[in-house]
Amino acid sequence: RLQRIARQVDAVLLSHPDMAHMGAYPLAHSAYGLTCPAYATLATHMMGGLCLHDTVKTLAAREEFSLFGAKDVDAAFENVVPLQYSQPKALPGRHAHITITAHAAGHTIGGTIWTIENGAETVLYALDYNHTKEEHLRRCSLMDGSEGMLNRRLIKPTLLITDALNASLTLPTRKKRLDCFLDSIGAVVKRGGNVLIPVDSAARVLEIAYVLNEWWPRERSRRDTHALCLLGTSARKLRNFAQSLVGWMAASVEGQMSDRDTRPFDLRHVAIVQSLDELDRKMRGDTRSRGRPRRAVVLAPLDSMDMGFSQELFLRWVSDKKNAIILPQRGPPGSLARSLYSRWRDRTQQGLAPGAPMKLDRPVRLSRARVAVTIKRRVPLAGAELDAWVAEERRRKEQEAARDALLKRK
């Protein structure tokens, strides 16, 4: 469907810097003729490009991925018009009478809900927004009224477009969920296990990293026995981007950091590692552990666990009963992470009354459970396979040379 309509689209609105919201954009731009302007906040533009580059790199490391490449991502994002929050922007050309405005969604850094105005009519496009304040993000602009009241400028659109992904869920308070998350990590650390936390590349990972960075130094013993790591091929760039985007975060972030004589969002207690070899060196021990091997709490992409470092560490750590996987979100449908979440839900949420909050339980053991994992890796050809490929390449080049010679004679 996207391929059929791409050339007819007049504007693209990019709401969040993750694969769910912009994963198809480089493909549509490079292969389907989507040449119209795209609009995103500056933070979404920066973090979205980082997310897509990281995903392309991960895909290319496991299989022949030809839908789009790094150059296609760069070309597509050169076509993005970066905006600030509350900055009205008229569309170009024959649609100059239509004005779009980005407002804070509160779900990701730079995340956006949009108003689209044409004369007296207003469309409010609001997907994946968060009406509660988080550690590093302000809440969505829908709740920007005084004392938590609704923002009157946004509550009476002509048309509201929204989602209902969590409409059937009643969640415990954020404090209870956060306490359970941290207590679960602490319990695994105390028993000497490793903790795998699957995350995305550039969006929700920032909130989790910030929360753990604030929590980690409160107990010295875990700093001696465990390393807290953010793992990713672009992890250092992610931190640098986040530091340059502090203005897009909650006001408390910059205020807290300025009191400590350090750069905002420096994540001083989170070790940045960009490969499994670097993680292994970190876990072999350092001066803090007096040379003794250490365990680790690792934030690793991707959140689906279908590929990338999160799948690698899952395969490496799953057989040890001391270790644990803690899912900060359900994972995409059909993914390994969603499968594990469903098993947890079936074990812990039985007998839940309609409308009752979800139960917050410690990690459950999946003893003797069978979990299907598809593993793909690109490996160098050798032996007969290499000989066959060389012969096929020689044949192809000879055919191309013969065809070119024939064309020249004509």
Side-chain angles (χ1 to χ4, degrees):
R1 180 181 297 179
L2 177 60
Q3 187 173 8
R4 290 201 305 270
I5 67 170
R7 296 179 185 275
Q8 305 168 27
V9 176
D10 296 303
V12 174
L13 305 182
L14 301 173
S15 299
H16 293 280
D18 57 19
M19 290 299 294
H21 293 87
M22 58 172 58
Y25 176 58
L27 175 65
H29 183 271
S30 63
Y32 297 163
L34 182 71
T35 58
C36 66
Y39 299 89
T41 61
L42 175 64
T44 295
H45 180 255
M46 290 176 64
M47 290 299 192
L50 183 67
C51 169
L52 283 162
H53 275 293
D54 190 66
T55 302
V56 167
K57 194 179 298 183
T58 301
L59 284 165
R62 72 193 295 260
E63 60 185 324
E64 288 289 340
F65 180 69
S66 57
L67 288 179
F68 59 87
K71 291 183 179 179
D72 297 319
V73 173
D74 291 336
F77 273 73
E78 286 178 1
N79 202 45
V80 175
V81 180
L83 302 174
Q84 300 290 329
Y85 284 144
S86 302
Q87 175 192 350
K89 180 69 176 179
L91 297 184
R94 60 192 178 94
H95 298 296
H97 56 284
I98 297 176
T99 301
I100 60 172
T101 308
H103 307 273
H107 178 66
T108 60
I109 187 167
T112 308
I113 56 178
W114 299 90
T115 51
I116 307 165
E117 297 173 289
N118 181 12
E121 296 183 344
T122 300
V123 176
L124 176 60
Y125 180 82
L127 299 185
D128 290 325
Y129 57 90
N130 191 348
H131 57 78
T132 59
K133 178 185 176 299
E134 295 190 295
E135 295 301 313
H136 90 294
L137 289 177
R138 68 193 77 172
R139 59 189 174 187
C140 72
S141 293
L142 289 172
M143 301 292 291
D144 268 356
S146 61
E147 299 181 1
M149 301 298 290
L150 293 174
N151 188 331
R152 292 186 177 276
R153 293 174 52 245
L154 300 178
I155 61 174
K156 292 186 178 181
T158 309
L159 174 66
L160 168 66
I161 301 173
T162 189
D163 63 275
L165 290 177
N166 295 315
S168 61
L169 297 177
T170 302
L171 298 176
T173 64
R174 184 178 184 278
K175 183 180 184 305
K176 289 181 178 179
R177 285 179 281 135
L178 184 58
D179 288 345
C180 181
F181 174 68
L182 297 175
D183 289 346
S184 298
I185 296 173
V188 179
V189 168
K190 285 181 179 178
R191 71 173 183 241
N194 296 304
V195 180
L196 168 61
I197 306 174
V199 293
D200 54 37
S201 298
R204 294 298 300 166
V205 60
L206 294 178
E207 174 72 8
I208 300 168
Y210 185 79
V211 166
L212 289 176
N213 182 72
E214 297 297 296
W215 172 75
W216 194 253
R218 296 176 190 172
E219 190 171 312
R220 181 172 181 175
S221 60
R222 59 175 166 247
R223 290 184 289 165
D224 294 337
T225 61
H226 283 68
L228 174 60
C229 300
L230 173 59
L231 172 62
T233 56
S234 303
R236 290 188 179 89
K237 186 178 288 187
L238 172 66
R239 182 182 59 186
N240 294 340
F241 278 13
Q243 289 176 333
S244 70
L245 295 170
V246 169
W248 294 82
M249 301 180 189
S252 57
V253 173
E254 190 167 7
Q256 289 175 0
M257 294 298 184
S258 62
D259 294 338
R260 302 176 194 170
D261 191 28
T262 186
R263 292 187 65 188
F265 217 89
D266 74 333
L267 302 178
R268 62 163 60 184
H269 302 293
V270 180
I272 306 298
V273 291
Q274 299 198 151
S275 68
L276 289 176
D277 288 340
E278 196 174 347
L279 175 64
D280 290 339
R281 290 195 297 272
K282 195 74 180 173
M283 294 177 66
R284 288 193 197 111
D286 54 18
T287 54
R288 179 178 290 280
S289 64
R290 298 178 184 177
R292 294 190 297 269
R294 305 167 78 190
R295 296 284 185 160
V297 176
V298 182
L299 282 67
L302 294 168
D303 55 349
S304 67
M305 299 180 65
D306 286 335
M307 58 181 175
F309 291 128
S310 60
Q311 187 188 76
E312 296 274 0
L313 290 179
F314 172 75
L315 296 172
R316 180 186 291 193
W317 290 348
V318 70
S319 60
D320 190 336
K321 293 182 179 180
K322 289 183 179 181
N323 300 335
I325 305 158
I326 297 182
L327 300 172
Q329 49 200 15
R330 289 169 290 188
S335 66
L336 173 58
R338 178 62 70 91
S339 174
L340 296 175
Y341 165 80
S342 298
R343 291 166 187 257
W344 173 86
R345 181 197 60 203
D346 294 343
R347 293 277 191 94
T348 62
Q349 306 300 310
Q350 295 297 325
L352 199 63
M358 292 182 68
K359 299 176 185 176
L360 294 176
D361 285 336
R362 298 290 177 86
V364 299
R365 295 191 183 279
L366 299 177
S367 302
R368 296 183 295 277
R370 290 189 176 185
V371 180
V373 181
T374 301
I375 304 169
K376 294 182 180 180
R377 289 192 178 95
R378 295 184 68 179
V379 296
L381 294 176
E385 289 182 325
L386 177 59
D387 294 339
W389 181 85
V390 170
E392 180 62 29
E393 280 293 291
R394 185 185 301 117
R395 209 166 22 248
R396 181 182 65 80
K397 290 179 179 179
E398 289 173 351
Q399 290 174 351
E400 287 180 356
R403 185 168 58 250
D404 291 343
L406 181 61
L407 289 174
K408 285 181 180 180
R409 285 198 297 272
K410 288 184 177 180

